[in-house]
Amino acid sequence: MAKKKNKITVKLDLPKDDSTLTKLYAILFVSIFLGLCTGTVWATNSGFIPTSNGEPMFTNLYCGITAEDSQGNSVGEKFNTNIKPDYSANQSCSILQDAPDRVVWKGEEWRTFTKQGKNFDVPGVNSDQTGGVMVLQPLWLNCSVDADTPTDYIVAIRSQDGDILESHQGTTDTDNNPDNDGCGITLDNIPPDTRYELVAFSLEEGKRISEMTFDVTVHYFDGIPSNMNNKSYWLGPELDLGVKSIRPFIFLNFFGMTFFFLLYPASYYWERVENAKNEVEEKFPDFLRDLAEYWKGGLSMTVAIQTLATSEYGALNDEVKKMSDQLSWGVKFSDVIKQFADRVGTPLVQRAIALIAEADRAGGKISDILVTAANDSRELKFLEGERRRAIGSYIAVIWTSYFVFLGVIVTLAVVFIPAIAGSNSSGEDGGDSGGQTIGNMTIRNIDPLFFLTVFYYGVTMQAVGNGTMAGLMSTGRFSTGFKHSGMMILVSIVVFNFLAFTPNLIGVTEVPGLNPSTGTFIPSPLFFG
């Protein structure tokens, strides 16, 4: 019987092509593409590009392509003229459509009455602002009426002229469930007006209503899209985080994201490559010292490296293992260390390896060369560390000054600008007309969004400059500087979104509410035609 042959497995860890630059180019391509896209969104909303109709180019371009009427016909030409789009044109474009806000009046309790009423207002967009287009604002009234004995009652909503818009007539229950009669009113449309009346009557002589609770909800339209401010700048959808609501896609964010994408991704990747090389360089002097000791002990270079492959050199372990494998395949020592230097690619390693290769070729006392190269490499790494420690304090100063500048700018935006804008609110539309006079000085009406925009641009450019300088001082590489710039830009985006991009500063109109009167009144009788 033939003896079974043993299976021999040879693991060939052959040198692979370096994909570092390929990955860098791919990251650069993607980041530049994203940077150009975000820059385009910002530029078309910034107002720096004038348009014939006064609307931002972003809305003109988007709505010019997508706007459709109720029959599905394209009406994009309304955004390509020198006439400002009217309400119907805005409604034909998805991003300019006016979405309703829920206006709620709740928490009211009326006790022990035979008849009682209260006034309330209904806000909305007037028909003269919509070009005659009817905007329907539905209303819902939910109520609960209770009495000591079953009592007929009526609840109604009427205009200030006394016209009844809608009413509900029912009978109270006595089974501790006053909702059984389904008390409520629904109106398909309640036009914007003041001094509407909500009234309730007991329809039985001598019987009182002991308690009535209710809430009123109106869908309110103001003609301004929820994703836009009152000048049609893109604000994006609102994101409710519970403790804070933010608008992460506001057009100003795209300015910061443009620089972030252009500077940060590629620099972050390249810094990781450089840090990996630095970790190899940190252990390289130890490897050279041990190699010299083994040489002095009488071992050949091949045996010495194969022995050192089992030692611990941190980030250098894989490279030593590769050299050991290549030597076991019969590759010449000079070729092995040359490939090692090419893989690492740093000037420090290449210089030391060039000395070793030349000493090996010349046949001199290579142990002295190894010791010299190890000492030289260790001294260079020590000097680099000294530089980082010396520059560290300056980097901290740069970051501190940036945070101080950011804090001052945010304080001005959140406190100072709203105060000035509020003091000049008597002007028209927040424009340059009007203002407030203090002595011989007149403070013109200001647009808070304009100053917030200028502040944000200033903070972003400060981040680019400060970060670049910090990186150059730290390592002398632009990639380090761009990495600092990207982190500073990210900090400014977060701070502005959570502190400065508040509704009153970015131009989001405040929902006025139903404004119920402070007290109730005794209403006149109801008349049904």
Side-chain angles (χ1 to χ4, degrees):
M1 183 176 178
K3 185 178 180 180
K4 186 178 179 181
K5 295 182 179 180
N6 293 329
K7 185 177 180 180
I8 300 176
T9 302
V10 179
K11 182 180 179 182
L12 296 177
D13 190 8
L14 298 173
K16 300 178 178 62
D17 293 336
D18 188 2
S19 61
T20 301
L21 289 180
T22 303
K23 293 178 181 177
L24 176 64
Y25 294 148
I27 293 173
L28 278 173
F29 176 80
V30 174
S31 61
I32 290 174
F33 175 76
L34 292 175
L36 291 177
C37 290
T38 53
T40 300
V41 175
W42 164 76
T44 53
N45 273 286
S46 64
F48 291 129
I49 304 176
T51 57
S52 57
N53 61 4
E55 292 292 297
M57 180 176 285
F58 176 76
T59 57
N60 287 337
L61 290 174
Y62 183 86
C63 296
I65 298 172
T66 63
E68 294 180 348
D69 60 17
S70 57
Q71 286 76 37
N73 300 318
S74 175
V75 292
E77 65 275 2
K78 293 183 179 180
F79 295 89
N80 298 323
T81 66
N82 57 1
I83 302 174
K84 187 177 181 67
D86 57 15
Y87 182 83
S88 62
N90 288 341
Q91 290 297 100
S92 67
C93 180
S94 59
I95 63 173
L96 294 181
Q97 290 175 358
D98 185 13
D101 290 302
R102 293 179 71 254
V103 183
V104 180
W105 168 23
K106 62 181 179 180
E108 286 282 344
E109 293 184 4
W110 295 351
R111 296 181 180 276
T112 314
F113 65 91
T114 56
K115 52 184 177 179
Q116 194 157 307
K118 198 165 189 177
N119 297 321
F120 67 96
D121 301 333
V122 175
V125 57
N126 295 322
S127 59
D128 57 348
Q129 296 175 297
T130 64
V133 177
M134 176 65 70
V135 180
L136 300 181
Q137 297 191 144
L139 175 146
W140 297 270
L141 167 68
N142 298 311
C143 50
S144 172
V145 183
D146 194 16
D148 295 334
T149 60
T151 303
D152 295 335
Y153 69 90
I154 186 171
V155 177
I157 294 177
R158 60 188 183 183
S159 67
Q160 56 181 303
D161 298 328
D163 298 330
I164 297 175
L165 303 181
E166 190 60 70
S167 63
H168 168 80
Q169 190 170 346
T171 303
T172 61
D173 293 328
T174 57
D175 57 359
N176 296 322
N177 188 8
D179 294 327
N180 281 344
D181 60 345
C183 178
I185 293 175
T186 299
L187 283 172
D188 293 333
N189 179 42
I190 182 166
D193 201 354
T194 57
R195 296 188 63 79
Y196 283 100
E197 294 180 352
L198 171 62
V199 295
F201 291 82
S202 168
L203 297 179
E204 298 188 40
E205 187 71 26
K207 289 188 177 182
R208 291 177 174 270
I209 296 173
S210 59
E211 182 181 21
M212 173 179 169
T213 61
F214 62 88
D215 62 78
V216 179
T217 301
V218 175
H219 276 186
Y220 151 72
F221 290 83
D222 61 358
I224 301 173
S226 59
N227 287 340
M228 301 283 180
N229 74 347
N230 51 16
K231 291 188 177 181
S232 296
Y233 287 119
W234 178 251
L235 300 181
E238 186 176 12
L239 177 61
D240 189 2
L241 301 178
V243 295
K244 178 70 176 180
S245 294
I246 63 174
R247 294 181 180 264
F249 297 105
I250 182 174
F251 78 97
L252 285 175
N253 276 346
F254 286 92
F255 180 77
M257 286 191 289
T258 297
F259 286 95
F260 178 81
F261 284 128
L262 290 177
L263 300 179
Y264 186 75
S267 62
Y268 174 78
Y269 170 74
W270 194 249
E271 281 303 295
R272 288 192 61 181
V273 172
E274 293 295 330
N275 289 337
K277 291 180 179 179
N278 184 65
E279 290 176 359
V280 171
E281 287 183 344
E282 291 288 346
K283 293 295 183 179
F284 184 61
D286 296 336
F287 170 71
L288 293 181
R289 181 201 60 204
D290 293 343
L291 194 59
E293 293 297 327
Y294 277 100
W295 177 266
K296 290 179 182 179
L299 297 180
S300 66
M301 280 296 180
T302 299
V303 177
I305 291 178
Q306 290 175 339
T307 305
L308 292 175
T310 60
S311 301
E312 178 58 43
Y313 292 107
L316 197 57
N317 283 341
D318 291 339
E319 296 297 336
V320 177
K321 181 66 168 58
K322 285 181 182 180
M323 287 191 289
S324 174
D325 291 341
Q326 289 173 327
L327 289 171
S328 68
W329 303 332
V331 182
K332 289 196 308 182
F333 173 74
S334 59
D335 293 336
V336 169
I337 59 174
K338 184 178 184 302
Q339 291 177 12
F340 164 70
D342 292 339
R343 287 196 301 269
V344 177
T346 62
L348 183 146
V349 172
Q350 288 179 336
R351 183 173 65 173
I353 293 300
L355 287 174
I356 297 170
E358 186 64 24
D360 180 63
R361 187 186 65 82
K365 194 175 181 181
I366 195 171
S367 59
D368 292 341
I369 300 298
L370 289 172
V371 171
T372 302
N375 292 336
D376 179 64
S377 300
R378 184 176 287 106
E379 185 66 23
L380 287 175
K381 297 306 296 181
F382 175 78
L383 292 176
E384 287 182 6
E386 283 293 305
R387 175 183 177 177
R388 285 195 297 270
R389 286 187 289 273
I391 295 297
S393 58
Y394 294 98
I395 305 302
V397 169
I398 290 176
W399 271 92
T400 302
S401 65
Y402 175 73
F403 278 118
V404 170
F405 178 73
L406 179 61
V408 170
I409 290 298
V410 171
T411 302
L412 287 175
V414 175
V415 179
F416 181 72
I417 296 304
I420 295 297
S423 67
N424 296 331
S425 59
S426 59
E428 299 179 1
D429 299 328
D432 291 334
S433 60
Q436 189 177 45
T437 300
I438 303 176
N440 295 326
M441 179 178 65
T442 299
I443 303 177
R444 296 288 184 182
N445 288 332
I446 64 173
D447 177 15
L449 181 59
F450 169 78
F451 282 92
L452 182 64
T453 300
V454 173
F455 288 161
Y456 182 70
Y457 293 164
V459 167
T460 303
M461 299 315 297
Q462 182 82 356
V464 173
N466 279 14
T468 302
M469 183 58 63
L472 286 174
M473 291 174 61
S474 177
T475 63
R477 295 191 300 266
F478 275 103
S479 59
T480 310
F482 292 158
K483 182 181 176 182
H484 280 279
S485 296
M487 290 188 291
M488 289 182 177
I489 290 172
L490 194 60
V491 169
S492 67
I493 289 176
V494 172
V495 170
F496 267 80
N497 275 273
F498 280 90
L499 297 179
F501 291 160
T502 56
N504 61 320
L505 288 178
I506 62 179
V508 176
T509 55
E510 184 178 355
V511 179
L514 296 177
N515 191 30
S517 58
T518 56
T520 59
F521 63 89
I522 299 177
S524 58
L526 290 172
F527 297 96
F528 297 90

